[in-house]
């Protein structure tokens, strides 16, 4: 269907691409370069390209030794939604989470992203919590795959 290429964000250029998508989709919790670099040290960050255009990014928070829960987050820029790219990016993250030993999968969606919430619900996620970060006004929604 597509020439979607998903690559690990592990150098300066790809981390900047990841940051661009994250900050565009989650403007209420924009991240600095230093924060993205720190996240890349503890999470698996990936960038999705359609041909040579950045269309999305993903985060996989790996499971811990004592807690087999991984968080898989797929973000697609609004101009590229509705074409199945999010499903491919999510499937990539889900496969990675399971390879890392996850037994339980969670995700997180910003309430102002109704497309992302509908996608998560269609995948079988159910809401577990809503919260607002200090200084923000838009809630995040945590969900767990059933």
């Amino acid at each position: 269907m597509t020439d979607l290429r998903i690559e690990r964000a592990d150098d300066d250029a790809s981390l900047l691409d990841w940051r661009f998508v994250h900050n565009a989709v989650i403007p209420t919790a924009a991240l600095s370069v230093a924060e993205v670099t720190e996240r890349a040290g503890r999470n698996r960050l990936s960038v999705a390209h359609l041909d040579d255009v950045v269309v999305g990014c993903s985060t996989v928070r790996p499971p811990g030794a004592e807690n087999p829960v991984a968080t898989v987050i797929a973000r697609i820029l609004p101009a590229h939604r509705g074409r199945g790219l999010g499903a491919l990016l999510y499937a990539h993250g889900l496969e990675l989470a399971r390879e890392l030993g996850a037994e339980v999968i969670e995700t997180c969606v910003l309430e102002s992203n109704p497309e992302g919430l509908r996608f998560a619900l269609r995948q079988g996620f159910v809401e577990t919590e809503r919260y607002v970060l200090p200084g923000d006004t838009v809630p995040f929604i945590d969900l767990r795959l059933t």
Side-chain angles (χ1 to χ4, degrees):
M1 167 226 143
T2 163
D3 294 321
L4 188 69
R5 188 176 77 253
I6 302 168
E7 298 175 334
R8 187 167 182 179
D10 59 3
D11 62 23
D12 290 344
S14 59
L15 290 173
L16 287 175
D17 286 343
W18 185 95
R19 178 179 180 254
F20 168 76
V21 175
H22 175 276
N23 288 352
V25 176
I26 313 292
T28 62
L31 298 174
S32 69
V33 171
E35 289 169 318
V36 171
T37 301
E38 186 273 328
R39 283 185 186 209
R42 59 183 163 88
N43 299 321
R44 293 286 191 89
L45 307 182
S46 297
V47 178
H49 295 84
L50 186 57
D51 297 318
D52 291 328
V53 177
V54 174
V55 298
C57 73
S58 68
T59 300
V60 175
R61 296 178 194 149
E66 302 295 318
N67 187 4
V69 178
T71 301
V72 176
I73 302 169
R75 299 176 197 89
I76 297 293
L77 292 169
H80 301 282
R81 293 180 183 160
R83 299 166 43 192
L85 302 175
L88 294 171
L89 187 56
Y90 165 72
H92 179 268
L94 184 61
E95 181 179 334
L96 176 58
R98 292 198 167 128
E99 286 173 6
L100 295 171
E103 296 174 16
V104 177
I105 305 294
E106 295 181 336
T107 196
C108 183
V109 179
L110 191 62
E111 185 182 62
S112 61
N113 179 1
E115 298 98 335
L117 183 57
R118 280 193 301 272
F119 176 83
L121 295 172
R122 280 195 313 268
Q123 302 309 307
F125 285 89
V126 295
E127 184 177 333
T128 58
E129 181 181 9
R130 284 182 188 237
Y131 56 93
V132 178
L133 294 176
D136 284 349
T137 58
V138 180
F140 281 90
I141 305 168
D142 284 346
L143 303 108
R144 182 171 277 203
L145 191 59
T146 58

